[in-house]
Amino acid sequence: YLKIQKFRFEDRLHFSIHSDIDLERHYCPKFILQPIIENCIKHGLEKRRDDLQINVLVTFVPGVSGNQDVLVRVTDNGTGIDEKTLVDIHEMLRSNPIARRNSGFGLLNVHARTVMLFGEGYGTTVESKLNEGTSVELRIPIIDNYADIPTLANEFAKHIDGDTGAVLIQNHGITVWGRDAFEAKKHLEAWEFLFSWQVKRLLLQRAAVPLVD
């Protein structure tokens, strides 16, 4: 995603990704970082003319349950957040984020998904200074096997109660229905595959295909 945005903004966007852990061994839920990066670009580039530096750090930290956790820190030198708005964001992250997961606020959606998957103590925190930049931290447990990632289909099934038993999944900006959790999850995976294929196609054809909003 950052490479695509680099093609779009060229010399106005700079980024670095540094990891202290083996990224080939450990996993995280899909599309859980992209909304954070999208916020950096939306507020740091689309609304101003200055260059933007985004730094992503992945490291181990002492864990919530006694073991180690994975911490992803995304910092930028963008517009920052004023004090009142930052207080409001902190309040939204503290107060029942699951109930507000469809608010349209990407950061809150990421936090709600993380809490639903892994429990209290995990999720996002935000610190920012106006006109200086923003730092967002995402904490998740260590996941050594992709098969160990909880399925959101099962989590959403707990929150859906209808006469037909149908299950709704809203994830990654996609809304799908299924007759049950298994079918809904399969539909979501199909859309994710189509999305990843489209991104690869754009990268292969970037010389001929303009990148637009």
Side-chain angles (χ1 to χ4, degrees):
Y1 176 77
L2 276 167
K3 289 180 179 179
I4 292 174
Q5 295 301 324
K6 179 67 175 177
F7 287 131
R8 176 187 177 191
F9 291 102
E10 298 181 336
D11 292 339
R12 293 186 58 208
L13 174 61
H14 312 278
F15 67 87
S16 68
I17 301 175
H18 177 75
S19 175
D20 295 333
I21 72 175
D22 185 354
L23 297 179
E24 297 296 326
R25 175 184 174 187
H26 303 289
Y27 297 85
C28 72
K30 295 179 181 179
F31 292 98
I32 206 164
L33 295 177
Q34 183 170 318
I36 298 174
I37 302 297
E38 287 177 349
N39 275 350
C40 296
I41 292 173
K42 178 178 180 180
H43 298 286
L45 279 176
E46 294 180 353
K47 295 185 176 181
R48 65 176 195 158
R49 295 185 178 276
D50 296 333
D51 293 353
L52 179 68
Q53 175 71 45
I54 298 175
N55 299 316
V56 181
L57 172 66
V58 187
T59 188
F60 288 127
V61 293
V64 172
S65 59
N67 299 316
Q68 286 186 311
D69 288 335
V70 173
L71 184 74
V72 182
R73 180 181 295 115
V74 180
T75 59
D76 68 61
N77 64 339
T79 57
I81 305 172
D82 66 81
E83 186 174 348
K84 181 181 183 305
T85 302
L86 188 62
V87 169
D88 292 340
I89 291 173
H90 287 165
E91 179 60 27
M92 285 192 293
L93 293 175
R94 284 195 299 266
S95 60
N96 194 12
I98 294 174
R100 302 183 183 183
R101 65 183 181 276
N102 300 324
S103 65
F105 184 33
L107 187 63
L108 186 59
N109 181 271
V110 168
H111 181 65
R113 287 175 54 206
T114 308
V115 172
M116 289 175 67
L117 288 172
F118 304 115
E120 295 294 334
Y122 296 104
T124 57
T125 58
V126 184
E127 296 300 332
S128 183
K129 289 186 178 180
L130 189 62
N131 299 321
E132 293 187 18
T134 301
S135 174
V136 178
E137 293 186 350
L138 170 68
R139 177 190 289 263
I140 61 173
I142 293 176
I143 304 171
D144 291 325
N145 190 327
Y146 187 80
D148 293 335
I149 298 178
T151 62
L152 277 174
N154 293 335
E155 294 295 336
F156 274 96
K158 297 175 183 178
H159 297 278
I160 300 297
D161 184 18
D163 295 333
T164 64
V167 175
L168 167 70
I169 302 180
Q170 287 186 305
N171 195 23
H172 311 165
I174 301 169
T175 302
V176 295
W177 283 94
R179 288 173 297 181
D180 53 33
F182 178 79
E183 183 179 86
K185 182 173 181 291
K186 289 299 180 184
H187 289 171
L188 179 62
E189 289 172 345
W191 279 106
E192 289 174 349
F193 173 80
L194 290 174
F195 174 81
S196 62
W197 177 85
Q198 179 72 357
V199 169
K200 291 177 182 178
R201 184 182 71 84
L202 287 173
L203 288 173
L204 289 173
Q205 300 179 2
R206 61 182 179 271
V209 179
L211 294 176
V212 296
D213 288 340

